[in-house]
Amino acid sequence: MAEDFWGPIFAKLHEDLELLKLICFDTSDSDLLSWVKPNPVLWSRASRYLRKKKVLDRQGLIGEILAFAAKEQALRKIIFYTWFEKNQQTFKFTTLAANQEAMNSLVKGDFGGPEKIEILAKIDPRQGMPDFYQKYLDFHRQQQPSSETDESRSETDESESDARQIKELEALNNQQQKELISLRQQLKEAQKTFSDRAAEITGLQNSLRERDHKISELENEILNLKEKIKQQKIDSVTVSLPEETLDQSEELVQASEKIAYLSEELDEKDARLTHLQNLLNQKDKSVNRLQEELKQLKNAINEDEDKERKIDNLQRLLKENQTIDLLKESGQIIVLPSDSGKSEYFLQSFSGNITKVPREILHVSKICPEEFCTAYIGASGLITEFESLETNKITTTGYLEKQEDTFYLCTAEEQFQVYCEVKDKHLGRPMRGVLLGEFQQRPEGIYSLSPHELPKENGFAETKIVSIDRIKQHLSLFIADKAALIDNLKLAGIDLKPRADGQIEFAQDYRQELDKARLKLNIVSVCESTSCQESLSENTLARKMRKHDVCSICHKKSENLFQLSDSLDFSGKKIVIFGGDYTGNEYVRFLNQFNIEATWVSGFDNIGKYRESLGKYDLAVIILRQTSHTLLREVSNSAAKANTPILYCKKRGISGLLAELKAYFQP
């Protein structure tokens, strides 16, 4: 039939949700997944019914699709036209006349089963066809009366069935909970047995290595003995020559006795070697037996994990039946100013509705502004709880820092821009922030902040008043003038006050304050040379040179560095180093003595002029612990275009970098 004939009919059918439900149940799993994957919101809601591209709960997945399609006309069209394209043979029936011959074709199944004909009955617009289809459906139901039980139930029977199903699910859940407790106990015992077996296997392996070593020693001894015996036989032949003196005869007797002694010793060694080989065979059998038991234990653990997944599905089904009266609304939390001057929170749903959200519910549900979530609305019309839809939501800890007019949460490895409200009293303090990933118009950053307090339980007590020696011990200082130390701490932004008794009073716990300012203090590394220590000025903070350090005065390397760097020559290689702040300038000076030309770029800078000039370097080095994600991506892309190799260095120390370069250039 012409397309203009079907157009108005299809437009009406798009709004028939009951027809869409029949179509979904008559659609394959692969087509269901093709509707879910392109839609990130629908995918996040339906992912709990899927596992590795397989449908675990078909009914639950179809329920989520229909709930979403009720508000999305585009998805309804996709569902309808997918079924239309996959069932062209069924649609050919609309070109036939409604006679007995057509009825016989339906009964034979030439145009599909009763499920497809029931859908076609709702689509076919021809007059008189509903009675014709009803006649076929009645005939089919008479042939299979047992299949009508579910469809002919009344609303009262359905409610009673739901109640019975809930009770059955609760009973089954209780039973599975008991089984889970038992299984967890068995799992603990199995894990303990596994640990014991693993330790036993390790011991056996060590014993086998010792046995192999002893066997090798015995074989060497046997070879030596054979050589000695051979040499003694040669000597005995020489001694037995005729016309020899009496002294030579005595030597022959002694040599013969020695040969007999060595032969006996050789026999003992052979017997011992045979015994050790038997023990080795027994150990091999024990190892094989233990490996088989280990395999059985792993299989038992996998079975326990399958049972736990089944229990989780039952609990989810039980929760869905218990919360069937709750309405769901998905969207994003937004912040809008109010007349009182305080910000208010709202849920902007995907359908365009805006609902005010109480701060208390957000705080309890741990949902932050700009986060995508699902709200559950009770019978009273108020939101009762939230469920997050974010998959890359991370909680991280760092300290707040202000750069120009922008706030950042700085961690040990990276800094993140803050997009929520910040109080001045929190600057420089440890804070816990919620990091949300980039999505559409929302940039990656921190959208919720809370102070990170030091724990006071388990014997930890806050200490605000300490002595100078305690401060030096915490910072590992061995040379530090009291006045210079106080001045340096104040310049680092620490709020402190000297006391009359010689101690220092901090605004907060001294460990928290000192750790916060550690990176801002200029602490030099000094070797044990008296001349280096005496050359330090009074206002210098110094610590003793550690392993892999370089003296800041005489530039002497530690013994470990001498062992590593002896006779190293990189033949004028040119490298550029990204990251490793607070050590970067030392990289260039230190590597210069090994005939390597190094350029250093801050890990929180942008690639800038190096984007086009990376091709002139033999190697690009990235210090992973002190390089931002943005710079890491830019360097990776630019280096790939310039065909410049990249070395990812996990260590940021000078010796660690030198060892990585030696392994790369001189493997």
Side-chain angles (χ1 to χ4, degrees), residues 279-290:
L279 290 177
L280 182 60
N281 294 333
Q282 294 177 1
K283 296 296 184 182
D284 290 337
K285 294 180 180 178
S286 299
V287 170
N288 293 332
R289 177 178 56 81
L290 291 173

PDB file of all heavy atoms in Angstrom, residues 279-290:
ATOM      1  N   LEU A 279      62.312 -38.955  46.444  1.00  0.00           N
ATOM      2  CA  LEU A 279      61.663 -37.869  47.178  1.00  0.00           C
ATOM      3  C   LEU A 279      61.137 -36.795  46.228  1.00  0.00           C
ATOM      4  O   LEU A 279      60.052 -36.247  46.419  1.00  0.00           O
ATOM      5  CB  LEU A 279      62.649 -37.248  48.176  1.00  0.00           C
ATOM      6  CG  LEU A 279      63.031 -38.103  49.383  1.00  0.00           C
ATOM      7  CD1 LEU A 279      64.063 -37.362  50.237  1.00  0.00           C
ATOM      8  CD2 LEU A 279      61.796 -38.415  50.238  1.00  0.00           C
ATOM      9  N   LEU A 280      61.916 -36.501  45.195  1.00  0.00           N
ATOM     10  CA  LEU A 280      61.497 -35.486  44.224  1.00  0.00           C
ATOM     11  C   LEU A 280      60.222 -35.913  43.504  1.00  0.00           C
ATOM     12  O   LEU A 280      59.316 -35.113  43.281  1.00  0.00           O
ATOM     13  CB  LEU A 280      62.625 -35.239  43.224  1.00  0.00           C
ATOM     14  CG  LEU A 280      62.369 -34.169  42.150  1.00  0.00           C
ATOM     15  CD1 LEU A 280      62.120 -32.824  42.815  1.00  0.00           C
ATOM     16  CD2 LEU A 280      63.547 -34.073  41.203  1.00  0.00           C
ATOM     17  N   ASN A 281      60.131 -37.188  43.144  1.00  0.00           N
ATOM     18  CA  ASN A 281      58.909 -37.688  42.496  1.00  0.00           C
ATOM     19  C   ASN A 281      57.708 -37.566  43.422  1.00  0.00           C
ATOM     20  O   ASN A 281      56.600 -37.219  43.001  1.00  0.00           O
ATOM     21  CB  ASN A 281      59.117 -39.140  42.064  1.00  0.00           C
ATOM     22  CG  ASN A 281      60.162 -39.269  40.966  1.00  0.00           C
ATOM     23  OD1 ASN A 281      60.363 -38.332  40.193  1.00  0.00           O
ATOM     24  ND2 ASN A 281      60.832 -40.406  40.891  1.00  0.00           N
ATOM     25  N   GLN A 282      57.937 -37.886  44.713  1.00  0.00           N
ATOM     26  CA  GLN A 282      56.838 -37.745  45.674  1.00  0.00           C
ATOM     27  C   GLN A 282      56.403 -36.294  45.806  1.00  0.00           C
ATOM     28  O   GLN A 282      55.206 -35.993  45.914  1.00  0.00           O
ATOM     29  CB  GLN A 282      57.273 -38.292  47.034  1.00  0.00           C
ATOM     30  CG  GLN A 282      57.519 -39.796  47.048  1.00  0.00           C
ATOM     31  CD  GLN A 282      58.007 -40.273  48.395  1.00  0.00           C
ATOM     32  OE1 GLN A 282      58.146 -39.495  49.342  1.00  0.00           O
ATOM     33  NE2 GLN A 282      58.295 -41.575  48.489  1.00  0.00           N
ATOM     34  N   LYS A 283      57.364 -35.356  45.786  1.00  0.00           N
ATOM     35  CA  LYS A 283      57.012 -33.936  45.859  1.00  0.00           C
ATOM     36  C   LYS A 283      56.207 -33.502  44.642  1.00  0.00           C
ATOM     37  O   LYS A 283      55.250 -32.733  44.746  1.00  0.00           O
ATOM     38  CB  LYS A 283      58.285 -33.079  45.973  1.00  0.00           C
ATOM     39  CG  LYS A 283      59.082 -33.305  47.241  1.00  0.00           C
ATOM     40  CD  LYS A 283      58.305 -32.896  48.483  1.00  0.00           C
ATOM     41  CE  LYS A 283      59.158 -33.044  49.733  1.00  0.00           C
ATOM     42  NZ  LYS A 283      58.427 -32.694  50.964  1.00  0.00           N
ATOM     43  N   ASP A 284      56.583 -34.011  43.450  1.00  0.00           N
ATOM     44  CA  ASP A 284      55.827 -33.663  42.237  1.00  0.00           C
ATOM     45  C   ASP A 284      54.382 -34.123  42.352  1.00  0.00           C
ATOM     46  O   ASP A 284      53.446 -33.400  41.979  1.00  0.00           O
ATOM     47  CB  ASP A 284      56.487 -34.306  41.010  1.00  0.00           C
ATOM     48  CG  ASP A 284      57.827 -33.665  40.688  1.00  0.00           C
ATOM     49  OD1 ASP A 284      58.027 -32.498  41.099  1.00  0.00           O
ATOM     50  OD2 ASP A 284      58.658 -34.315  40.030  1.00  0.00           O
ATOM     51  N   LYS A 285      54.174 -35.329  42.871  1.00  0.00           N
ATOM     52  CA  LYS A 285      52.803 -35.817  43.048  1.00  0.00           C
ATOM     53  C   LYS A 285      52.030 -34.940  44.033  1.00  0.00           C
ATOM     54  O   LYS A 285      50.848 -34.640  43.820  1.00  0.00           O
ATOM     55  CB  LYS A 285      52.829 -37.262  43.534  1.00  0.00           C
ATOM     56  CG  LYS A 285      53.388 -38.251  42.514  1.00  0.00           C
ATOM     57  CD  LYS A 285      53.397 -39.673  43.068  1.00  0.00           C
ATOM     58  CE  LYS A 285      53.967 -40.652  42.044  1.00  0.00           C
ATOM     59  NZ  LYS A 285      54.020 -42.045  42.579  1.00  0.00           N
ATOM     60  N   SER A 286      52.703 -34.523  45.115  1.00  0.00           N
ATOM     61  CA  SER A 286      52.035 -33.661  46.101  1.00  0.00           C
ATOM     62  C   SER A 286      51.662 -32.320  45.486  1.00  0.00           C
ATOM     63  O   SER A 286      50.564 -31.794  45.717  1.00  0.00           O
ATOM     64  CB  SER A 286      52.952 -33.441  47.308  1.00  0.00           C
ATOM     65  OG  SER A 286      53.254 -34.665  47.941  1.00  0.00           O
ATOM     66  N   VAL A 287      52.561 -31.759  44.680  1.00  0.00           N
ATOM     67  CA  VAL A 287      52.266 -30.474  44.031  1.00  0.00           C
ATOM     68  C   VAL A 287      51.068 -30.605  43.093  1.00  0.00           C
ATOM     69  O   VAL A 287      50.176 -29.762  43.057  1.00  0.00           O
ATOM     70  CB  VAL A 287      53.505 -29.950  43.284  1.00  0.00           C
ATOM     71  CG1 VAL A 287      53.141 -28.751  42.419  1.00  0.00           C
ATOM     72  CG2 VAL A 287      54.588 -29.560  44.274  1.00  0.00           C
ATOM     73  N   ASN A 288      51.036 -31.689  42.316  1.00  0.00           N
ATOM     74  CA  ASN A 288      49.903 -31.895  41.400  1.00  0.00           C
ATOM     75  C   ASN A 288      48.593 -32.030  42.170  1.00  0.00           C
ATOM     76  O   ASN A 288      47.551 -31.502  41.772  1.00  0.00           O
ATOM     77  CB  ASN A 288      50.146 -33.138  40.546  1.00  0.00           C
ATOM     78  CG  ASN A 288      51.308 -32.955  39.578  1.00  0.00           C
ATOM     79  OD1 ASN A 288      51.600 -31.822  39.170  1.00  0.00           O
ATOM     80  ND2 ASN A 288      51.968 -34.028  39.207  1.00  0.00           N
ATOM     81  N   ARG A 289      48.666 -32.761  43.291  1.00  0.00           N
ATOM     82  CA  ARG A 289      47.452 -32.925  44.097  1.00  0.00           C
ATOM     83  C   ARG A 289      46.979 -31.583  44.663  1.00  0.00           C
ATOM     84  O   ARG A 289      45.780 -31.266  44.641  1.00  0.00           O
ATOM     85  CB  ARG A 289      47.730 -33.904  45.246  1.00  0.00           C
ATOM     86  CG  ARG A 289      46.552 -34.095  46.199  1.00  0.00           C
ATOM     87  CD  ARG A 289      46.895 -35.118  47.265  1.00  0.00           C
ATOM     88  NE  ARG A 289      48.098 -34.752  47.993  1.00  0.00           N
ATOM     89  CZ  ARG A 289      48.120 -33.876  48.996  1.00  0.00           C
ATOM     90  NH1 ARG A 289      47.001 -33.264  49.354  1.00  0.00           N
ATOM     91  NH2 ARG A 289      49.238 -33.598  49.622  1.00  0.00           N
ATOM     92  N   LEU A 290      47.909 -30.787  45.165  1.00  0.00           N
ATOM     93  CA  LEU A 290      47.539 -29.484  45.715  1.00  0.00           C
ATOM     94  C   LEU A 290      47.007 -28.554  44.630  1.00  0.00           C
ATOM     95  O   LEU A 290      46.063 -27.783  44.861  1.00  0.00           O
ATOM     96  CB  LEU A 290      48.757 -28.836  46.388  1.00  0.00           C
ATOM     97  CG  LEU A 290      49.236 -29.514  47.678  1.00  0.00           C
ATOM     98  CD1 LEU A 290      50.529 -28.891  48.153  1.00  0.00           C
ATOM     99  CD2 LEU A 290      48.169 -29.406  48.774  1.00  0.00           C
TER     100      LEU A 290
END
